Amino acid sequence: MQRFIARLPSTKTCAAGFHSAASRAAISRFNMPAMSPTMTEGTIHQWKVKEGESFSAGDILLELETDKAQIDVDAPEDGILAKIILKDGEKAAVNQPIALLAEEGDDISNVEMPAEESSSAPEQPKAAEEPKPAAAAAPPTPSTPMDHHELDTSKLKKPLSPAVISLVLKHHIKDLGAIKASGPGGRILKGDVLAHLGLIPYKPAPPFRTSIAPPREEIVFAKPAAKEGAAAPKEEKPLPNFISKTVAVDDLLALRRALNESNRTNVSVNDFIAKAATRALQDVVSSPKVSSSPSKGIVYNTDVSSFSDAYKGGSFKIFHLSPPTYDFITDSYETSKPYELNVSASQRVESGQAPKSQDEEMVDLIGFLGGEAPKKEAPRAIGLTTKNAQIDFSAQPKVSHQVEIKLQDSVPGKILNDQKAATFLDRVEYYVRNPSELTA
């Protein structure tokens, strides 16, 4: 049986004048408290304070036993337990007097039950009120409970609790289907029986939750406390959430230019890269959702800059590649967010010169906006042969155009252990370097 602690309000329900030899005092009733909206009666399990003993606010006066729990009842304020009306083990209805309380200094040698209202209080004139319809009287309670074999349980959706069975047998309710159930799954609650008898108004139960677990975003995992004298843990750098490759796109740009001129079309570089990503996804993931359509699994946007001669970069969402995420609350796997394939703008790179990363380009941009003068390259002399004054192209540096292909995820470190993601990026690099494979 569960135990609870109830704190009663400090207001007194009823007080009457009482005189002692020294001072004027007051004796107040201590009634059976209602511990819940459906409580109709309670049993005194044990008084913790004896007659004549004083107590302070917050002290436990008695243990009260209901059909659901055993509750400690606290004193609302300081006082003296003048008289115990209801002894241990006796039962009483809610709001029935169970004890008399007095204040410090009162004479409690001859304590009597105070009247319901003070005789010295002047009668207040009652305003004229409209007659109200008489409330339906509750059915009389039979003296002996009904036998449980007489219950009609054919219409029950859920089994009855012991408290409901006791109340039903006590009031001889045979037809359980006539009781309006408000519990989860059509279960009959104690409040439903009391409302059926007309003792309390009907009130539906709050919505039932299928899980007691809080939402996932509210779960906080506890961390072990640091031991005394232990060295402070080193701050770990966050793991990257991407893998990347640098790819030359000269062949792709040349093929695009040739196809657009011969077919009088205007296919963008992003269209070629999307086709390369689709073919790479088909090579890695053997899913019917991917292989059923050539464009399934890749989503990207095309704007005006995608059709210019100088490639400005692009962003692509890659579906069906990220592994599913396990949800320990529902014990199931959920589809993860798609990976994102980001392609940088093309850079003109000479042989022997490493291309700048996006971070280096951002640093150059910040310096330029701050007033820093851009670095100027030294003029390059073109040597002429003395024999026929021709340009020696073999001595000139080779120029190529490169882009950085970066496959990103929202979770740091997750993509580093994804072998499919690494294979997918390798295949994208292959198709970008060999664009003729995309037209086959």
Side-chain angles (χ1 to χ4, degrees):
M1 180 174 289
Q2 298 177 343
R3 294 179 61 88
F4 299 92
I5 297 179
R7 297 186 180 275
L8 300 178
S10 59
T11 56
K12 298 179 180 180
T13 56
C14 181
F18 183 89
H19 291 275
S20 65
S23 61
R24 179 180 177 84
I27 298 297
S28 60
R29 295 167 176 255
F30 186 71
N31 298 338
M32 173 68 71
M35 298 292 103
S36 67
T38 59
M39 177 178 171
T40 57
E41 60 183 9
T43 304
I44 306 297
H45 181 71
Q46 183 182 9
W47 284 96
K48 297 296 185 180
V49 180
K50 298 180 181 180
E51 286 188 1
E53 291 183 353
S54 60
F55 53 83
S56 302
D59 292 347
I60 299 177
L61 294 180
L62 73 154
E63 291 182 1
L64 184 63
E65 185 176 341
T66 67
D67 55 353
K68 293 183 179 180
Q70 186 172 314
I71 307 170
D72 294 336
V73 180
D74 289 356
E77 54 188 4
D78 299 347
I80 301 175
L81 185 59
K83 184 176 182 179
I84 296 178
I85 300 176
L86 207 65
K87 307 296 182 181
D88 293 351
E90 295 182 353
K91 184 182 298 185
V94 172
N95 291 331
Q96 180 179 340
I98 60 175
L100 299 179
L101 305 181
E103 298 179 356
E104 290 289 344
D106 292 349
D107 184 5
I108 59 174
S109 58
N110 187 15
V111 178
E112 296 180 358
M113 178 73 69
E116 290 291 336
E117 295 180 359
S118 176
S119 58
S120 60
E123 295 184 359
Q124 299 292 337
K126 296 183 179 180
E129 298 180 355
E130 296 182 2
K132 298 181 180 179
T141 303
S143 58
T144 57
M146 180 181 64
D147 186 71
H148 67 279
H149 294 289
E150 301 180 21
L151 293 176
D152 182 11
T153 59
S154 59
K155 299 179 181 180
L156 285 181
K157 296 182 179 179
K158 295 288 184 178
L160 302 177
S161 66
V164 174
I165 293 177
S166 175
L167 194 58
V168 166
L169 297 178
K170 178 180 179 180
H171 292 275
H172 288 213
I173 303 176
K174 297 182 180 180
D175 186 10
L176 300 178
I179 302 176
K180 186 177 180 180
S182 64
R187 184 185 297 274
I188 297 177
L189 306 179
K190 184 178 179 181
D192 301 333
V193 181
L194 296 176
H196 176 75
L197 296 172
L199 300 178
I200 62 172
Y202 176 77
K203 183 179 181 181
F208 179 70
R209 295 181 60 184
T210 56
S211 175
I212 62 174
R216 188 190 307 171
E217 59 272 10
E218 297 180 5
I219 298 177
V220 178
F221 295 95
K223 297 182 179 179
K227 298 182 179 179
E228 295 183 0
K234 297 181 180 179
E235 294 185 2
E236 297 181 358
K237 295 183 179 180
L239 295 175
N241 63 339
F242 67 91
I243 53 178
S244 62
K245 283 181 175 294
T246 301
V247 187
V249 292
D250 297 275
D251 294 342
L252 189 147
L253 296 177
L255 179 62
R256 168 183 175 267
R257 190 181 305 109
L259 291 177
N260 285 336
E261 290 177 355
S262 61
N263 298 303
R264 295 182 179 181
T265 56
N266 195 12
V267 180
S268 68
V269 178
N270 281 342
D271 295 332
F272 278 89
I273 296 179
K275 186 65 177 289
T278 303
R279 292 286 295 273
L281 191 62
Q282 293 175 354
D283 295 344
V284 174
V285 182
S286 58
S287 172
K289 293 182 180 181
V290 178
S291 59
S292 60
S293 174
S295 61
K296 195 73 172 178
I298 310 296
V299 176
Y300 68 102
N301 296 325
T302 302
D303 53 14
V304 178
S305 62
S306 302
F307 299 94
S308 61
D309 293 336
Y311 181 58
K312 303 298 183 180
S315 180
F316 309 80
K317 290 187 180 297
I318 313 298
F319 292 85
H320 313 302
L321 181 61
S322 177
T325 304
Y326 177 71
D327 187 355
F328 64 91
I329 296 179
T330 60
D331 192 19
S332 61
Y333 285 90
E334 296 181 352
T335 304
S336 301
K337 294 182 179 180
Y339 285 152
E340 189 170 346
L341 184 69
N342 293 318
V343 184
S344 66
S346 62
Q347 297 183 19
R348 182 177 180 274
V349 181
E350 295 182 359
S351 57
Q353 178 186 357
K356 289 185 178 181
S357 64
Q358 292 184 354
D359 295 337
E360 292 174 340
E361 289 185 350
M362 181 60 67
V363 171
D364 293 342
L365 177 60
I366 295 174
F368 174 75
L369 295 177
E372 181 180 346
K375 297 180 180 179
K376 297 182 179 180
E377 296 182 359
R380 186 174 66 247
I382 300 177
L384 301 177
T385 60
T386 58
K387 184 177 181 180
N388 52 9
Q390 291 182 349
I391 299 176
D392 186 7
F393 288 98
S394 61
Q396 303 302 317
K398 304 298 182 183
V399 177
S400 65
H401 294 82
Q402 298 180 357
V403 296
E404 183 184 16
I405 301 178
K406 183 184 294 185
L407 188 62
Q408 289 182 300
D409 185 28
S410 58
V411 181
K414 177 183 175 182
I415 199 172
L416 302 178
N417 301 321
D418 190 351
Q419 185 60 37
K420 283 187 177 180
T423 306
F424 168 80
L425 196 60
D426 291 339
R427 298 301 297 169
V428 172
E429 179 188 13
Y430 170 78
Y431 286 116
V432 172
R433 290 185 184 275
N434 304 274
S436 58
E437 297 281 344
L438 303 176
T439 60

